[in-house]
Amino acid sequence: MDDRQLVELACAAREQAYAPYSGFSVGAALLDADGRIWQGCNIENAAFGPTVCAERVALFKAVSEGVRSFEALAVAGGPAGESIAAFTAPCGVCRQVLREFCSDGFRIILAAPDGETRTFTLGELLPQSFGPSSLA
Ligand code: THU
């Protein structure tokens, strides 16, 4: 599984996005330590607050199946019904939720049109973070 394939799976997951309020569709593909892929899309809600991002849907699917170890995540976003528009980075809440299960070196691949990607580590996107070890 290379980064390009992971991005393609994020784009495929994006097709399932339920985003009638923002009109912004996001897909995520999470690679676990055993090479399995967990896909997610954003799922909005009329009450707005319960909306869940694609990244957390993917992560929670994995964790709920007993998976705790992860390698990388690809994210693809853009206006619903259109091809991906720009680099969509995980929101602050998703970064913190990822922090619970992923190390500083966990890779986050952001997709853009024409196959371009930008890759960051979780440590870069959430520096000086508070995580499980902070409570040890
Ligand atoms: N969204 C995600 O799913 N992931 C992100 O990384 C950024 C934002 C969703 C939440 C909401 O449904 C829509 O995009 C607009 O914020």
Side-chain angles (χ1 to χ4, degrees), residues 2-17:
D2 62 25
D3 288 1
R4 190 181 51 79
Q5 290 173 302
L6 201 59
V7 166
E8 281 172 11
L9 290 168
C11 292
R14 182 174 170 254
E15 289 172 21
Q16 302 303 326

Side-chain angles (χ1 to χ4, degrees), residues 18-19 22-27 41-45 51-56 75 88-91 94:
Y18 176 74
S22 73
F24 194 84
S25 298
V26 184
C41 62
N42 53 332
I43 304 171
E44 299 188 344
N45 188 278
T51 290
V52 186
C53 293
E55 297 90 326
R56 271 176 286 154
V75 184
T88 297
C91 77
C94 287

Side-chain angles (χ1 to χ4, degrees), residues 24-107:
F24 194 84
S25 298
V26 184
L30 177 65
L31 175 66
D32 74 21
D34 293 326
R36 285 174 297 180
I37 303 296
W38 302 87
Q39 290 168 286
C41 62
N42 53 332
I43 304 171
E44 299 188 344
N45 188 278
F48 291 12
T51 290
V52 186
C53 293
E55 297 90 326
R56 271 176 286 154
V57 170
L59 182 71
F60 290 161
K61 282 170 68 177
V63 172
S64 70
E65 297 291 329
V67 178
R68 299 284 188 277
S69 186
F70 303 98
E71 302 284 339
L73 172 77
V75 184
E82 298 178 18
S83 54
I84 57 172
F87 298 105
T88 297
C91 77
V93 171
C94 287
R95 294 177 197 200
Q96 181 63 35
V97 172
L98 287 164
R99 175 69 179 82
E100 188 68 22
F101 299 99
C102 305
S103 66
D104 272 355
F106 175 78
R107 294 184 314 114

Side-chain angles (χ1 to χ4, degrees), residues 93-134:
V93 171
C94 287
R95 294 177 197 200
Q96 181 63 35
V97 172
L98 287 164
R99 175 69 179 82
E100 188 68 22
F101 299 99
C102 305
S103 66
D104 272 355
F106 175 78
R107 294 184 314 114
I108 298 171
I109 303 144
L110 310 183
D114 64 36
E116 200 186 341
T117 59
R118 274 184 205 162
T119 302
F120 300 90
T121 64
L122 182 59
E124 289 172 326
L125 295 186
L126 193 68
Q128 304 301 318
S129 62
F130 187 90
S133 60
S134 307

